[in-house]
Amino acid sequence: METEDAVLRAEHITKSYDSRCILKDVSLHLNAGELVCLLGVSGAGKTTLFHALSGLETPEEGRVLLSGEDITGRPGKISYMLQRDLLLPHKKVLDNAALPLVIAGKSKREARAEAAPYFAPFGLSGTEDKYPAQLSGGMRQRAALLRTFLGSKGVVLLDEPFSALDALTKRELHRWYMGMMDQLHLTTLFITHDIDEAILLSDRIYILAGHPGTIAAELTILPPRPRDLSFGLQPEFLDYKRQILSRLEQ
């Protein structure tokens, strides 16, 4: 349910490429502090919707509002992290993380000084002067998430941020990211193809289905997060999973 704390709203987004409609009349919202998942089969338009939300693409119809401000087609208002970490191999981790601040107009020295205090809470202490190739997959994702956070205004879009990680590293980052969201007052919309991950992490789930893609369902997940792995064995979890699968298969 949308509240007065809604910080991001997409209203009736329609987007086409080469005369082919990819998204049709898509509306969604994020309330402050929520983690909301976007689920859908390949080709349903999830990435296209993220491009519209982040301002990388301008929809033919509809608009995107951030805290009431119309940001449709205006990049740089919302941070967007792709599936791959895309860290620059020739830059040290500190400079990779600080990159959004430099792009925003700060000097390299100022950007480094602002980014450095976040290395400890992001679990990156001691990596500041290393290069991306010297980090594990999990540490690279943390660095990419820090870069995304430093370029955000409290709202982040994550496109399958944990999909390339092994199961144990993924679960560790799940717990860590939930804590960081609360600590830093982040609001998150993320794409995943992993139904279990979506149910375990999300406050709400939007299901994008069809061609063109439309919002087929919105589910509120209870109990409130954080949820431990034992929730995955409960009847409620299986019921959510059945509902999602039925919507995705339509």
Side-chain angles (χ1 to χ4, degrees):
M1 178 181 296
E2 186 171 358
T3 73
E4 293 181 358
D5 292 328
V7 292
L8 179 66
R9 286 190 288 128
E11 298 179 342
H12 309 293
I13 300 294
T14 294
K15 178 64 182 175
S16 301
Y17 293 117
D18 298 325
S19 300
R20 185 168 70 91
C21 188
I22 307 299
L23 296 171
K24 181 68 174 177
D25 196 28
V26 171
S27 296
L28 56 77
H29 71 276
L30 275 74
N31 298 318
E34 279 191 311
L35 191 150
V36 176
C37 172
L38 185 65
L39 267 176
V41 299
S42 296
K46 299 183 298 298
T47 298
T48 298
L49 179 57
F50 265 33
H51 286 173
L53 294 174
S54 63
L56 296 177
E57 300 277 358
T58 302
E60 287 82 40
E61 298 178 21
R63 62 178 186 164
V64 180
L65 301 173
L66 178 65
S67 298
E69 177 187 0
D70 191 334
I71 61 166
T72 311
R74 296 167 59 192
K77 296 293 185 178
I78 297 177
S79 286
Y80 177 12
M81 177 177 157
L82 302 173
Q83 182 176 352
R84 295 176 58 199
D85 59 66
L86 298 179
L87 298 176
L88 300 176
H90 61 284
K91 287 186 176 289
K92 294 180 179 180
V93 176
L94 178 57
D95 291 323
N96 265 286
L99 187 60
L101 303 174
V102 174
I103 292 173
K106 297 191 176 183
S107 70
K108 187 175 181 180
R109 182 176 180 178
E110 290 172 329
R112 282 178 165 180
E114 186 171 334
Y118 290 100
F119 270 66
F122 272 75
L124 291 166
S125 294
T127 69
E128 291 88 342
D129 292 325
K130 293 184 177 181
Y131 290 92
Q134 297 174 281
L135 303 185
S136 67
M139 295 291 272
R140 288 175 66 103
Q141 287 301 96
R142 287 174 185 255
L145 286 163
L146 172 54
R147 180 184 60 193
T148 303
F149 163 70
L150 289 171
S152 78
K153 295 178 175 62
V155 178
V156 295
L157 309 179
L158 306 179
D159 191 345
E160 296 196 74
F162 311 115
S163 63
L165 304 173
D166 64 81
L168 291 177
T169 303
K170 179 186 289 191
R171 186 56 187 160
E172 176 190 348
L173 276 182
H174 284 171
R175 289 194 296 265
W176 168 78
Y177 189 71
M178 295 296 98
M180 292 305 297
M181 272 193 64
D182 292 338
Q183 181 178 338
L184 300 173
H185 309 292
L186 289 176
T187 301
T188 304
L189 178 65
F190 82 109
I191 290 173
T192 181
H193 287 92
D194 186 334
I195 295 174
D196 288 10
E197 178 179 59
I199 298 171
L200 283 171
L201 298 185
S202 302
D203 294 299
R204 291 183 294 114
I205 296 173
Y206 285 106
I207 298 174
L208 193 66
H211 300 283
T214 59
I215 299 296
E218 176 190 348
L219 281 72
T220 299
I221 307 298
L222 300 173
R225 58 176 175 82
R227 310 175 187 103
D228 58 35
L229 288 176
S230 65
F231 179 60
L233 304 175
Q234 301 302 314
E236 295 91 339
F237 182 94
L238 297 176
D239 183 54
Y240 286 128
K241 195 165 186 177
R242 280 191 290 267
Q243 291 182 59
I244 291 169
L245 286 170
S246 68
R247 294 289 188 171
L248 290 173
E249 291 168 358
Q250 288 180 354

